[in-house]
Amino acid sequence: MNRGFWQWLVAAQFVRLPSMMAPLAFAVLATQVTGSYRLGGLMMAVFVASEVVAAGPVGRLLDRVGVARGLRVLLVACAAVLCGLLITIPVVMVVCTALAGMLGGGMSGAIRALLANTVGDNIERAVSIDAMVIEVVVVTGPLLVAVLGPVGGILGMAGSYLIGALLVPQATATRKHGPRPPLGSIAKWLACAFAFGHLLSTIEVASLPLGQRLGGGPVTAVIVVAVLTGASIAGAAVYGWRRPELPPSLFLGGMGVGAVLVGLGDNWPVLVAGLVTVGICTGPLNATMSLQLQRTLPEERRAEGFGLVFTAQASGFALGSLSVSAFPLAFAPIIAACLALLGSALVPVAKPVTVE
């Protein structure tokens, strides 16, 4: 791997880190301001909804003005808006959260769109390494908020965006803005990303009740997340090392089978088997989706295309979280499993094609 990839890899994690910090950061800040976490829940809902609405238009704009240059502007602007949360007036906090979500809606797609220019022919290994590292970021985000506290958590999010802006790699000159690819060409990947996010959030959000079902407390919730994360890192590492030519439908279907075990598992062996099955399929599926989109999307529309897929995944994550509170504990993972198995029937069964 060249130096440009490692710069991109670090920049990508700083761009993503605030989203991992946001749920807990909003909750603890809201609790400090109002005495209740409810405002934090509203802020997170507004943040995700704003991202979903803005991802497509922001991605199109970035493709037009230049992804690297536009991303730097968005990162600096989003950092400034997040600082507005420290005014600690509830209405202002909600407005600033909405603006941050709108500005951040296209960031994930934009940083991913820059990857191909930094790694050349090594993109398959690059995507696999990224899939491994992002699991560490998922765990690190909440831990940073816990250490930094309410104000420090918000400032940490803003600082992460600023560091990301400094590290965003240079891109080639902006190309002519080509025709938008038909939605049908990526529709199957939108469905796959939705099911992927829905299933993961269902298990992660239900980590505490899953532990309580087995007679444990908060510590068992940490164990559940740790097993899932460890299996995911291992799966991404093996996939990046061996790069087996397996159909993406196998990975999503495997996640569905694992979710069934999680939902029905009333003892530790079955629960751990389900978590490991989900985890070892997570990294490879994430890498496969990314590579297939790299092949499908024209270079001058990648920020928009990747932004739409990340938005579908975020929407699935939000609805998966909601399903945990709306349905019985055993039922929520089964719903996620059904969506995953349905999605596995939609994605191609052919072997992944190497991206040139």
Side-chain angles (χ1 to χ4, degrees):
M1 290 296 177
N2 58 32
R3 181 180 177 181
F5 166 70
W6 298 113
Q7 179 181 343
W8 176 91
L9 184 67
V10 176
Q13 309 321 313
F14 277 108
V15 171
R16 295 160 175 164
L17 181 59
S19 294
M20 310 304 173
M21 298 172 68
L24 185 57
F26 292 164
V28 296
L29 181 64
T31 302
Q32 177 177 280
V33 173
T34 67
S36 171
Y37 66 88
R38 295 185 184 278
L39 175 62
L42 173 63
M43 291 167 62
M44 193 62 206
V46 169
F47 184 73
V48 173
S50 300
E51 284 187 322
V52 170
V53 170
V58 170
R60 285 195 294 274
L61 178 63
L62 291 175
D63 282 324
R64 287 181 181 277
V65 304
V67 177
R69 178 175 61 181
L71 180 57
R72 293 189 190 98
V73 173
L74 284 181
L75 288 166
V76 173
C78 200
V81 169
L82 284 174
C83 291
L85 293 173
L86 301 181
I87 296 175
T88 65
I89 299 174
V91 173
V92 175
M93 293 168 68
V94 173
V95 171
C96 287
T97 301
L99 290 174
M102 293 178 68
L103 291 169
M107 287 184 187
S108 294
I111 193 68
R112 174 58 185 84
L114 292 174
L115 177 59
N117 291 329
T118 68
V119 296
D121 295 335
N122 290 321
I123 192 165
E124 290 185 349
R125 183 151 294 173
V127 169
S128 299
I129 293 173
D130 182 47
M132 243 185 339
V133 175
I134 196 173
E135 293 295 334
V136 180
V137 176
V138 170
V139 176
T140 302
L143 290 178
L144 281 175
V145 176
V147 171
L148 296 173
V151 174
I154 299 300
L155 292 177
M157 292 171 65
S160 182
Y161 278 142
L162 292 176
I163 294 172
L166 293 173
L167 294 175
V168 168
Q170 295 291 336
T172 55
T174 305
R175 290 173 166 77
K176 183 179 178 181
H177 196 61
R180 184 184 304 179
L183 184 60
S185 65
I186 63 170
K188 54 183 175 289
W189 299 114
L190 293 175
C192 182
F194 178 87
F196 177 82
H198 185 280
L199 191 150
L200 282 182
S201 70
T202 299
I203 295 176
E204 291 175 1
V205 173
S207 58
L208 179 58
L210 285 171
Q212 290 174 333
R213 184 173 66 180
L214 300 180
V219 174
T220 57
V222 176
I223 294 174
V224 168
V225 174
V227 171
L228 180 64
T229 302
S232 180
I233 293 173
V238 172
Y239 184 82
W241 175 45
R242 302 293 299 177
R243 282 183 283 180
E245 294 186 351
L246 298 174
S249 56
L250 177 64
F251 299 127
L252 187 56
M255 291 181 69
V257 172
V260 172
L261 294 175
V262 170
L264 300 180
D266 57 359
N267 56 71
W268 275 109
V270 176
L271 177 60
V272 170
L275 293 172
V276 170
T277 302
V278 171
I280 61 174
C281 294
T282 298
L285 177 59
N286 207 10
T288 302
M289 283 195 296
S290 185
L291 290 170
Q292 290 285 1
L293 285 164
Q294 180 82 23
R295 176 175 174 263
T296 302
L297 295 167
E299 185 173 355
E300 66 273 13
R301 303 304 295 245
R302 283 178 183 161
E304 179 185 1
F306 279 115
L308 290 173
V309 172
F310 288 131
T311 297
Q313 185 171 321
S315 301
F317 199 99
L319 288 179
S321 302
L322 179 62
S323 71
V324 173
S325 61
F327 298 107
L329 178 59
F331 195 39
I334 300 301
I335 294 176
C338 291
L339 289 175
L341 294 172
L342 177 61
S344 69
L346 298 176
V347 297
V349 296
K351 295 180 178 180
V353 179
T354 301
V355 180
E356 301 295 337

